[in-house]
């Protein structure tokens, strides 16, 4: 029996934790496309291509993890992944101004509503945020999603933590199974 292969796009701004999330949950040594940043972005390296990892969901289901830069100038890379997606994770870095245009660009390009692709928004770097600050950010993100006709889970995530990172996948799986009752249950094996 052939193994079913699904794709998960993980898109977000510089420093949101895309590469770290893939490193945390991939069962293979991830392929990373990081280069030394030529400008001050708060970290030494940044993703300049597609990061790739893989995770077995069940004995016969594998998930390709595709980490993509969140800037529109990388939309050619988005095109390479934006077919038959299992899910879309948008990572937003807490603590700096949220780039609404970038999130709009991502949602307009991937068209999750039209393509029936479940979306989850993860807020990284939020461990020092108060509940009130997170609530304000979540309401703001809900408004952006609603502008695209979407309602999606929004949750804090620590890309360094396996359990926290897998929660994003479990949310996508729950959405998929709600929409398609005969979908495969998520079993990380």
């Amino acid at each position: 029996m052939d193994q079913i292969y699904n794709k998960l796009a993980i898109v977000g701004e510089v420093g949101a934790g895309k590469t770290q999330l893939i490193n945390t949950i991939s069962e293979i040594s991830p392929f990373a496309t990081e280069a030394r940043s030529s400008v001050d972005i708060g970290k030494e390296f940044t993703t300049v291509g597609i990061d790739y990892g893989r995770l077995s969901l069940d004995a016969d289901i594998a998930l390709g993890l595709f980490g993509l830069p969140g800037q529109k100038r990388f939309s050619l890379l988005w095109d390479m992944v934006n077919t038959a997606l299992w899910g879309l994770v948008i990572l937003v870095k807490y603590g700096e101004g949220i780039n609404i245009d970038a999130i709009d660009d991502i949602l307009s390009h991937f068209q999750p509503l039209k393509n029936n692709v479940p979306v989850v928004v993860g807020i990284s770097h939020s461990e020092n945020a108060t509940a009130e600050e997170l609530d304000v950010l979540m309401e703001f993100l809900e408004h952006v999603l609603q502008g695209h006709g979407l309602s999606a889970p929004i949750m804090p995530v620590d890309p360094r933590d396996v359990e926290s990172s897998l929660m994003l996948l479990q949310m996508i799986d729950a959405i998929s199974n709600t929409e398609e009752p005969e979908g495969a249950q998520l079993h990380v094996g």
Side-chain angles (χ1 to χ4, degrees), residues 15-16 19 29 31 38 58 62 66 73 79-81 85 92-93 104-105 116 145 148 151 163 167 176 178 180 188:
T19 301
S29 270
F31 175 77
S38 59
D58 209 342
F66 294 86
R73 69 178 184 267
D79 287 338
M80 295 171 69
V81 175
L85 284 177
V92 175
K93 183 177 178 181
D104 280 332
D105 289 341
N116 198 29
L145 290 165
H148 291 270
S151 176
E163 196 172 304
M167 183 60 71
S176 295
T178 299
E180 298 176 28
V188 179

Side-chain angles (χ1 to χ4, degrees), residues 61-133:
I61 301 173
L63 182 62
L65 309 167
F66 294 86
L68 303 164
Q71 300 84 4
K72 189 175 185 173
R73 69 178 184 267
F74 293 104
S75 64
L76 178 63
L77 298 176
W78 298 351
D79 287 338
M80 295 171 69
V81 175
N82 192 19
T83 55
L85 284 177
W86 177 75
L88 174 65
V89 170
I90 300 173
L91 287 182
V92 175
K93 183 177 178 181
Y94 176 81
E96 297 176 10
I98 302 301
N99 186 339
I100 301 169
D101 293 335
I103 296 171
D104 280 332
D105 289 341
I106 292 166
L107 292 170
S108 295
H109 195 89
F110 282 91
Q111 298 183 10
L113 186 63
K114 176 184 174 192
N115 295 321
N116 198 29
V117 173
V119 177
V120 173
V121 178
I123 302 171
S124 63
H125 303 279
S126 61
E127 47 279 339
N128 294 323
T130 66
E132 183 178 290
E133 290 169 331

Side-chain angles (χ1 to χ4, degrees), residues 4-98:
I4 297 169
Y5 182 79
N6 293 309
K7 294 188 300 186
L8 175 68
I10 304 164
V11 187
E13 61 195 288
V14 172
K18 302 173 298 290
T19 301
Q20 181 61 58
L21 189 137
I22 292 171
N23 286 337
T24 298
I25 63 175
S26 180
E27 64 193 15
I28 63 169
S29 270
F31 175 77
T33 57
E34 290 200 320
R36 189 173 308 278
S37 179
S38 59
V39 295
D40 184 11
I41 57 172
K43 62 180 195 159
E44 187 176 357
F45 292 93
T46 188
T47 300
V48 294
I50 298 175
D51 290 341
Y52 177 78
R54 180 184 147 105
L55 180 65
S56 293
L57 300 180
D58 209 342
D60 59 346
I61 301 173
L63 182 62
L65 309 167
F66 294 86
L68 303 164
Q71 300 84 4
K72 189 175 185 173
R73 69 178 184 267
F74 293 104
S75 64
L76 178 63
L77 298 176
W78 298 351
D79 287 338
M80 295 171 69
V81 175
N82 192 19
T83 55
L85 284 177
W86 177 75
L88 174 65
V89 170
I90 300 173
L91 287 182
V92 175
K93 183 177 178 181
Y94 176 81
E96 297 176 10
I98 302 301

